[in-house]
Amino acid sequence: MVDLGAYDESRPLDMHDLQFDLAAEKLGLEPWIAEKIKRPRRELTVRFPLRFDDGRIQLMEGHRVQHNTLRGPGKGGIRYHPRVDLDEVRALAGWMTWKCAVVDIPFGGAKGGVACDPTTMSAAERERLTRRYIWEISPLIGPEQDIPAPDVNTGPETMGWIVDTYSVFKGYTCNSVVTGKPLCIGGSLGRLKATSRGCIYVLEEAARHLGLELAGCRAVVQGFGNVGYHAAELLHEAGVKVVGLSNVQGALYNPAGIAPRAAKQHELSTGDLPSYAEAERLTNQELLELPCEVLIPAALEGQITRANAGRIKARIIVEGANGPTSPPADDILKDKGIFVVPDILANAGGVTVSYFEWVQNLQKLFWTEDDVNRRLREILTRAFAEVMAIAQRERTTMRTAAYMLAIERVAEAKRVRGIFP
Ligand code: NAD
């Protein structure tokens, strides 16, 4: 059994491995299969010089990890952040494998990232970085091989550059190489808000399970980017009072509620979210401990740890971010009776609509936004029910149940595919 007392919460890969071990042990998996599917299949580290606008040249380091491709091509976003390293990308790639398997879409898991601070870079510098990084990892990616998407500090603009770079090298337009693209080059309606919409769908299921009426509840959202902003906006539209918000600069609190769109406009026009006048200023740590019914961490890993889990007051946590809660914190939250919808289920809406985007690209046939949202709800509601059934049967948390479902699906793919040669 794993010793949680000595466990280091600052390493996402340790978190991934421990979450895997807890579920694999319960499944009684064949040891060789457990070992095979826990670790990444392929890893590529690339180093290349980047010319900055002022003439300076700096050596950059990036990675692409294909954690697993047993159920289909690798799938996973690209992150630009100073903290990116091979171990973080390995963890994020593993989480993609389990996420795709939990919602039962035909992808494996992959992830990429470059260690850089894009917030201090010009658009031209970010474009050069993207094109060169994609060229460097081009032996691994492709519509049937490994399909990148947005993650922290990347978005539709980055995906447009990737389509162009990959297409130039192929000699024809190949838009199915990434998802999360702008609509005019084959993006899908509904993709931009898909991760957040998925968070709301699973939140509705969790609230129904707990007998909680969402309208009138208070919500706190950490992170105000693609996932956090749209989640806050969708909660606000659903009549949930968004009392707390934050970005990397700091947090805002107003028990009477904050209008997310107005706060976003302030952030965009001033570049300083915490100076928004309609709310009190807090730190990100204080934000997580606010009184509320719903907490959506939608920033980075390692936010809820053994240091603060005991002070969390929410009734439901929906993990918009990947890896926001450490295993020791999970135990504390469980003892407090806080219902956690784990990342690999809670934020799977993004990859699910990425799957829809890929299908539309391959078929050259596009769906309406209503179609996308209806199919998304169907998939997430089914996955939530399957995870809940395992959690109840095994008397375990939603996280371990989600891992059990996902790991068994990947393990079964290995069993039926067998070993080459
Ligand atoms: P983003 O770059 O659009 O936004 C990140 C937000 O978090 C920004 O508001 C940033 O200021 C804030 N932030 C960064 N560091 C912070 C800190 N230490 N404390 C508080 N806030 C901080 O990124 P995103 O795409 O919204 O991704 C957020 C999380 O959701 C990540 O964990 C990502 O892996 C996960 N995720 C994203 C998607 C997607 O479709 N974009 C899908 C699934 C999961």
Side-chain angles (χ1 to χ4, degrees):
M1 210 36 216
V2 192
D3 176 13
L4 282 187
Y7 170 80
D8 176 359
E9 294 173 292
S10 65
R11 292 169 42 94
L13 187 59
D14 286 355
M15 190 190 304
H16 167 273
D17 289 357
L18 184 49
Q19 290 164 339
F20 178 93
D21 290 345
L22 289 169
E25 197 174 276
K26 270 187 167 293
L27 283 168
L29 224 52
E30 303 91 308
W32 74 271
I33 291 191
E35 205 176 328
K36 159 87 184 86
I37 67 177
K38 177 175 168 180
R39 298 267 162 247
R41 178 179 185 205
R42 287 194 188 112
E43 305 177 341
L44 176 63
T45 293
V46 296
R47 291 184 194 90
F48 55 90
L50 178 70
R51 193 186 305 278
F52 285 75
D53 294 344
D54 61 7
R56 204 167 29 97
I57 296 174
Q58 192 181 319
L59 196 69
M60 312 301 291
E61 186 172 278
H63 314 275
R64 184 76 189 169
V65 171
Q66 287 175 359
H67 178 266
N68 195 284
T69 53
L70 282 166
R71 305 177 77 249
K75 186 87 192 81
I78 291 175
R79 175 174 294 195
Y80 292 166
H81 195 276
R83 214 173 74 180
V84 164
D85 64 17
L86 184 55
D87 270 357
E88 184 189 57
V89 178
R90 285 172 172 148
L92 290 162
W95 286 325
M96 288 306 300
T97 298
W98 315 124
K99 194 180 300 183
C100 293
V102 162
V103 292
D104 208 7
I105 57 177
F107 287 134
K111 203 82 178 192
V114 179
C116 63
D117 184 0
T119 61
T120 62
M121 292 165 68
S122 70
E125 289 166 344
R126 285 185 278 115
E127 179 172 353
R128 286 197 292 276
L129 173 86
T130 302
R131 289 185 183 277
R132 180 61 187 260
Y133 166 66
I134 289 304
W135 184 82
E136 293 286 344
I137 64 163
S138 60
L140 285 195
I141 62 171
E144 299 292 344
Q145 222 177 326
D146 179 357
I147 306 134
D151 192 71
V152 173
N153 290 324
T154 58
E157 178 186 57
T158 330
M159 300 305 117
W161 297 327
I162 296 178
V163 167
D164 191 66
T165 305
Y166 189 82
S167 299
V168 166
F169 284 107
K170 281 281 163 190
Y172 58 89
T173 294
C174 182
N175 57 12
S176 47
V177 67
V178 283
T179 57
K181 302 176 285 286
L183 284 180
C184 63
I185 53 168
S188 174
L189 290 166
R191 173 61 184 92
L192 196 64
K193 297 187 188 177
T195 308
S196 317
R197 201 177 283 285
C199 287
I200 306 304
Y201 290 161
V202 294
L203 170 63
E204 286 171 359
E205 296 304 309
R208 189 167 305 131
H209 168 74
L210 297 175
L212 186 70
E213 179 64 52
L214 276 180
C217 278
R218 296 161 300 172
V220 167
V221 182
Q222 186 196 38
F224 206 45
N226 180 287
V227 181
Y229 168 61
H230 291 115
E233 189 57 25
L234 290 168
L235 287 166
H236 183 71
E237 282 169 17
V240 177
K241 201 191 286 179
V242 180
V243 296
L245 289 175
S246 78
N247 71 2
V248 67
Q249 302 163 319
L252 294 173
Y253 175 52
N254 184 344
I258 304 171
R261 193 170 302 171
K264 189 54 152 181
Q265 274 161 5
H266 176 84
E267 186 194 39
L268 290 175
S269 61
T270 64
D272 183 20
L273 179 71
S275 67
Y276 184 59
E278 308 295 319
E280 182 189 337
R281 203 175 167 142
L282 300 179
T283 65
N284 260 290
Q285 280 313 308
E286 290 167 328
L287 176 96
L288 294 172
E289 298 166 17
L290 286 173
C292 62
E293 284 71 41
V294 178
L295 174 61
I296 304 192
L300 291 175
E301 303 92 79
Q303 299 301 304
I304 304 176
T305 62
R306 55 162 84 83
N308 63 359
R311 295 193 296 273
I312 303 263
K313 299 180 187 67
R315 285 196 63 191
I316 304 176
I317 297 177
V318 176
E319 295 184 333
N322 288 307
T325 311
S326 75
D330 259 340
D331 278 357
I332 298 170
L333 297 174
K334 185 173 140 212
D335 289 345
K336 284 172 66 92
I338 298 175
F339 189 91
V340 179
V341 188
D343 48 6
I344 59 171
L345 172 62
N347 69 44
V351 77
T352 302
V353 175
S354 275
Y355 162 55
F356 297 161
E357 181 176 330
W358 180 75
V359 168
Q360 293 171 78
N361 292 158
L362 296 183
Q363 297 187 336
K364 316 283 180 220
L365 185 67
F366 286 85
W367 308 350
T368 65
E369 189 160 356
D370 280 351
D371 254 344
V372 169
N373 292 342
R374 180 182 48 77
R375 289 176 196 249
L376 173 63
R377 188 191 277 277
E378 236 172 69
I379 286 182
L380 289 183
T381 309
R382 187 190 61 212
F384 184 96
E386 286 174 333
V387 172
M388 174 62 80
I390 296 172
Q392 288 176 335
R393 189 186 71 216
E394 301 290 329
R395 297 177 187 281
T396 189
T397 60
M398 288 290 279
R399 186 179 321 277
T400 297
Y403 270 84
M404 289 175 75
L405 179 62
I407 292 172
E408 183 47 38
R409 282 182 174 151
V410 176
E412 185 58 10
K414 185 66 225 165
R415 285 183 205 110
V416 301
R417 283 183 59 158
I419 300 176
F420 173 85

